[in-house]
């Protein structure tokens, strides 16, 4: 009985870890794509679990349905993070710095 409780607590604590990993990733811009680091992505938690499966880590199978649900719930947040960062980058590239008038 105690082993089942410990197993359930362990499994529940791992639920959605792919989504949490995705939300911790930085936002990558066009110039950053040559870096080996992955950036925040839509359904990046599921992608993280797929990467775990490619490395033969079985926890990806357990976590994938939870990551799918949590990725769906956090989709508006990921959209907001990516779009605001892209707007900031666009603004930095296109808007010239304001000159301060000298008196």
């Amino acid at each position: 009985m105690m082993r089942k409780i410990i197993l359930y607590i362990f499994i529940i604590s791992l639920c959605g870890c792919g989504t949490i990993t995705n939300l911790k990733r930085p936002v990558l811009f066009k110039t950053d794509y040559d870096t080996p680091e992955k950036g925040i992505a839509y359904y990046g938690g599921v992608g993280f679990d797929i990467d775990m499966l490619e490395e033969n880590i079985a926890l990806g199978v357990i976590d994938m349905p939870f990551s799918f649900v949590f990725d769906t719930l956090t989709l508006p947040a990921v959209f907001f993070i990516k779009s605001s960062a892209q707007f900031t980058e666009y603004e930095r590239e296109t808007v010239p710095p304001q000159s301060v008038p000298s008196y």
Side-chain angles (χ1 to χ4, degrees):
M1 179 67 174
M2 188 64 170
R3 287 183 185 175
K4 284 185 180 181
I5 293 172
I6 292 173
L7 180 65
Y8 291 145
I9 291 172
F10 178 71
I11 290 173
I12 290 172
S13 68
L14 292 176
C15 296
C17 69
T19 303
I20 294 169
T21 303
N22 182 48
L23 293 175
K24 288 183 178 181
R25 292 178 177 167
V27 178
L28 296 181
F29 300 107
K30 293 179 281 189
T31 57
D32 297 334
Y33 286 127
D34 57 347
T35 63
E37 186 176 16
K38 291 187 176 186
I40 190 171
Y42 299 111
Y43 288 94
V46 175
F48 177 77
D49 292 334
I50 291 172
D51 290 344
M52 284 177 44
L53 288 176
E54 290 174 355
E55 297 175 11
N56 295 326
I57 300 175
L59 289 177
V61 174
I62 297 169
D63 187 54
M64 194 172 300
F66 298 105
S67 288
F68 181 77
V69 170
F70 293 135
D71 281 348
T72 303
L73 292 174
T74 59
L75 197 59
V78 172
F79 176 77
F80 178 75
I81 291 168
K82 288 177 72 79
S83 63
S84 63
Q86 288 172 350
F87 178 75
T88 303
E89 182 69 14
Y90 172 78
E91 195 174 50
R92 192 176 338 149
E93 290 175 354
T94 57
V95 177
Q98 299 292 328
S99 60
V100 178
S102 58
Y103 294 101

